[in-house]
Amino acid sequence: MLVGQMGVHPLITALKSGARFIIAGRACDSALFAADMIRRGVPPGLAYHAGHILESGALACDPGSPSDCLVGEIYDDGTAIFVPPNPARRCTAHSLAAHSLYQQSHPQLQFYPEGVLATEQTQYFSRDSRSAGIRNSRFIRAGKPWPWSVKLEASVRLGARKVSLIYIDPADLSKIPAGALVYGRNGVQVAPVVAPQREVGIIVEAAAGTAEAANQLAKLIAHRLAHHGFPGRKAAAGNIAYPLSPEFVSFRREDGLFGALVPGGTRDPAFIENYSKIKAAVIKSISQEISTLVDADFSITEADGSNPAVLLRTVDRDRARLANRHQQEIDGIIQVAVPKAGSRLNLDAPDAYAWSLYHLVEDEEVIRNQTFPITYYRANGPDWIEEGSDRPRYFDIGEVGYRGDLDERTLSLIADHPPCEEAIGSHRLRDIAAVIRSKDAGVNRITFDVIFTSGENYEAALYSNAFSKDSIAKILSITPDRVIGTFFVDACNAIKISIDRPNISASLDERDVFGTQQQAALECMDVPIYAAALAQVSSL
């Protein structure tokens, strides 16, 4: 499958031609919101920044959630105001600035098909206790590859997949090959968990009268667990790492019911500390949905050092060879460890795919004349009558002659500047940061956002040099060349770290498809505190 990332022009063309509904396919999330704003004359910097905030719903609020709504209001004075309809949430200048970092590899540069959104000069402000806004975001048309560019993505089928989940006695854990994925040891990251850190596998299994109901229930529970908010939550991008894409496995149970299994895991200390309350709250929240399903039941099993679980995944194009290879992998485990009750063997999982193309097309002729053809339909219920076709009409968007820095490897980069004096103490990062999250930024990068509880803690962290490129490489146990950059973000007292992914997202050896549970090493780090930093802050 080959797709291109659509920008605003095809959407604007369809809207101007009278389309009331647009099925856009693989479109840029922010462009879906920015297109109509730009069509109506809203400056593209404001439109694209507002689109970036709106595409994640209420995730830009405090408390945040991608499952709730957010309203954006655009004003003639060049501002956008955001208001959450839910009275339990509020938008603040800080929450908007913090969300502007989300899923981006740089804190002030976002790259789109038509140009670059530059937020270095953006002002974030609060209007009242529940609403906040932005102004002065700029959109730059900076030469090749802008305009125009289209990001191409493609995947290729690798083959059919079998999965087994084998619970074992902890006494047998040392006999399991080091490369095997074992929840309680190395289910979330390749490197084994090291005490006092913990790793917990969260295994959701559902049963129902139909395969669709079982899948629906398993995914519902897993989603609620992954996104449940709780006091002290730091990893706001997601509580659970999924090793499979799609994340569930369907199968027929021995009792004749249909089953669905969703394996996942976490190393988030705050989530683990609050897990019993989170689990109870999630079960309570789904009680009504379960009552509507036929013969529905579920279980949530925890796999850790006292109850390890081995996850086997085998892929092959030939089904006979696949069955043989997967059975050999099972035999390799059961020869050294006896499967405990609850183990699931030889499950047929969804086919495996891998990214085969991730490329930026800069051929303007191809983009203008071949990509994103538009077809118009007159729809009357299930009857769709084709009424014509069109080509996107392109026009220039954004400023030229911008004198600011658009280099993602230099703008706002934290310099390597070791303090000259001895530290007077240290703070655990968990204690001085409100958010410590990780998330994929594309298929080949992971980005970390550390948002501090105060300006004082932020300045002390910057002064410590603990977030220089070399220091972060040591913390994350990677080579410095894999660190794209560490960046300061004064607008919300934050530090952003972006690295090259150890593998391409959703690879066969994947442990965390969305990259939401790679922050544990940061959560456990200590930040040295220096007297000079305290004196500097007190003088501000």
Side-chain angles (χ1 to χ4, degrees), residues 181-194 196-202 241 264-268 272 302-309 511 517:
L181 188 161
V182 183
Y183 284 116
R185 183 183 72 180
N186 62 342
V188 174
Q189 296 179 9
V190 174
V193 67
V194 178
Q197 206 176 350
R198 288 185 63 200
E199 178 179 282
V200 178
I202 310 292
T266 182
R267 290 190 180 182
D268 180 3
I272 294 172
E302 294 75 42
D304 57 13
S306 63
N307 183 39
R511 285 165 162 78
Q517 278 295 305

Side-chain angles (χ1 to χ4, degrees), residues 243-487:
L244 300 175
S245 179
E247 72 275 18
F248 65 94
V249 181
S250 299
F251 60 97
R252 198 67 181 263
R253 292 161 50 100
E254 298 85 349
D255 58 8
L257 293 175
F258 292 89
L261 185 76
V262 179
T266 182
R267 290 190 180 182
D268 180 3
F271 181 82
I272 294 172
E273 290 168 10
N274 290 274
Y275 176 67
S276 60
K277 295 180 180 178
I278 294 169
K279 181 178 178 180
V282 167
I283 292 174
K284 182 179 180 181
S285 73
I286 64 172
S287 57
Q288 187 171 354
E289 285 94 335
I290 295 176
S291 65
T292 65
L293 300 176
V294 178
D295 296 325
D297 196 9
F298 69 91
S299 65
I300 305 173
T301 304
E302 294 75 42
D304 57 13
S306 63
N307 183 39
V310 183
L311 181 68
L312 300 179
R313 301 167 290 176
T314 314
V315 174
D316 204 301
R317 291 183 180 275
D318 182 270
R319 287 195 173 274
R321 191 168 58 223
L322 171 64
N324 183 57
R325 287 180 53 209
H326 191 66
Q327 187 59 53
Q328 289 178 355
E329 292 186 30
I330 294 173
D331 293 342
I333 299 298
I334 65 178
Q335 285 174 2
V336 297
V338 177
K340 295 168 62 176
S343 297
R344 294 290 180 184
L345 306 181
N346 272 308
L347 304 182
D348 291 315
D351 289 353
Y353 289 80
W355 293 100
S356 58
L357 180 67
Y358 193 69
H359 177 68
L360 198 65
V361 173
E362 302 174 40
D363 189 323
E364 191 168 331
E365 184 68 20
V366 170
I367 294 171
R368 285 182 178 273
N369 299 318
Q370 296 185 35
T371 59
F372 311 122
I374 302 169
T375 305
Y376 297 106
Y377 296 89
R378 178 73 60 181
N380 181 18
D383 300 321
W384 286 36
I385 301 173
E386 185 174 334
E387 289 199 341
S389 61
D390 204 351
R391 290 290 318 157
R393 292 183 284 278
Y394 289 88
F395 55 91
D396 290 341
I397 292 177
E399 306 174 33
V400 294
Y402 181 70
R403 296 184 179 276
D405 188 355
L406 296 179
D407 188 338
E408 65 173 347
R409 293 183 180 267
T410 59
L411 178 62
S412 300
L413 192 68
I414 295 175
D416 185 7
H417 190 269
C420 298
E421 71 271 29
E422 292 292 324
I424 60 174
S426 66
H427 287 311
R428 191 171 56 167
L429 185 60
R430 280 184 63 194
D431 297 333
I432 60 174
V435 171
I436 308 172
R437 68 187 176 203
S438 65
K439 191 72 167 67
D440 285 350
V443 303
N444 56 356
R445 290 182 176 180
I446 291 178
T447 188
F448 303 83
D449 297 329
V450 181
I451 304 173
F452 291 86
T453 55
S454 68
E456 292 81 0
N457 288 330
Y458 167 61
E459 295 293 344
L462 286 176
Y463 188 91
S464 73
N465 208 45
F467 292 89
S468 68
K469 183 175 182 177
D470 288 344
S471 297
I472 286 299
K474 292 178 182 178
I475 293 291
L476 298 179
S477 299
I478 59 177
T479 56
D481 62 288
R482 281 186 51 206
V483 180
I484 296 165
T486 64
F487 310 95

Side-chain angles (χ1 to χ4, degrees), residues 230-243:
F230 56 90
R233 186 188 191 202
K234 307 291 184 182
N239 303 321
I240 296 177
Y242 295 119

